[in-house]
Amino acid sequence: MPLALTQLASAAAAITSILLMGRAGADVLVAGTLAVHLFTFYTVLVGGILTGASHLMAHHFGAGRREDAQRVMAQAIKIAIVLTMIGSIIAWHTRDFLLLIGQPVSVADLAGPFAKANSFAFMPAMLLLILRNYAAAAGHPKLGLIAIVSGVAVNAFFGYGVMFGAFGLPMLGLWGLGVAFAGAHWFMFLFILVLVQSHSALRLPLNSLRGR
């Protein structure tokens, strides 16, 4: 059950952002949704590659080889860093891509800054995926759920705040929502890292991250 709930919750941050866009008008909704779909497409693509590591980690944990599981995780992190850097570069040119496929200039102009802010969410999103799969492989799937649900709440609060100038926050519009989205993903990654490091059965020694 925690694994199923985690999968559902992992989509909630994007859904929350789209709901907030809808309150800002049709043009913002169209532009923001296009950028979110590009983000989701790439994260699903990279996530599919990285998910293979979860089966190896579960195999090593089941055989009592924790260090081997950590080495697999370290290799997955290296792959994630490279692939998410590529994704960030692609996202940085979202405006050009939308114009290339025939989207109106007004839509592309709105989507571009939001996608640039979103580009900083690629890396933490994939590192979060790796760590929650690592925790789940070791028999602690609830850690990922806790981190993601907390991050969704952070995204909803700050996303609404900076998009509409609520809660004493500056009104930054769609770009601000992108910043909140990226910030929420960094929060989720750091939160699950703290949870993993605070758990004696999961704690990661620094040398394990070198893949040795």
Side-chain angles (χ1 to χ4, degrees):
M1 182 62 74
L3 287 174
L5 292 176
T6 301
Q7 286 297 106
L8 291 173
S10 63
I15 293 172
T16 301
S17 294
I18 291 173
L19 290 174
L20 293 175
M21 293 171 199
R23 293 175 59 90
D27 289 342
V28 172
L29 178 61
V30 171
T33 301
L34 285 170
V36 168
H37 284 172
L38 289 173
F39 173 85
T40 303
F41 171 78
Y42 195 79
T43 53
V44 169
L45 179 65
V46 176
I49 296 172
L50 297 175
T51 299
S54 65
H55 304 294
L56 294 174
M57 289 188 289
H59 173 76
H60 289 311
F61 272 119
R65 299 192 297 267
R66 174 180 166 183
E67 291 184 357
D68 288 339
Q70 291 173 344
R71 278 192 285 271
V72 170
M73 184 197 64
Q75 294 299 322
I77 287 175
K78 292 175 182 177
I79 294 171
I81 290 173
V82 173
L83 294 179
T84 54
M85 288 177 66
I86 296 172
S88 296
I89 294 172
I90 294 173
W92 203 258
H93 296 282
T94 294
R95 180 184 181 278
D96 298 327
F97 174 73
L98 292 178
L99 291 174
L100 184 65
I101 63 174
Q103 293 298 320
V105 175
S106 59
V107 170
D109 285 343
L110 281 171
F114 174 70
K116 287 181 178 180
N118 258 6
S119 68
F120 293 98
F122 278 118
M123 188 175 297
M126 293 300 97
L127 296 179
L128 167 67
L129 174 67
I130 293 169
L131 282 179
R132 70 181 176 89
N133 285 344
Y134 169 77
H140 301 278
K142 291 182 179 179
L143 299 187
L145 179 61
I146 293 170
I148 291 175
V149 170
S150 300
V152 170
V154 169
N155 181 61
F157 177 83
F158 285 101
Y160 183 86
V162 296
M163 191 166 190
F164 301 106
F167 315 125
L169 297 172
M171 187 169 65
L172 302 176
L174 187 58
W175 177 79
L177 181 63
V179 172
F181 186 77
H185 279 81
W186 279 106
F187 170 82
M188 287 186 275
F189 161 60
L190 293 174
F191 190 13
I192 195 170
L193 179 61
V194 170
L195 293 176
V196 166
Q197 290 299 89
S198 64
H199 202 295
S200 59
L202 299 175
R203 190 173 296 120
L204 300 166
L206 291 179
N207 61 350
S208 70
L209 298 180
R210 299 171 187 169
R212 295 177 181 177

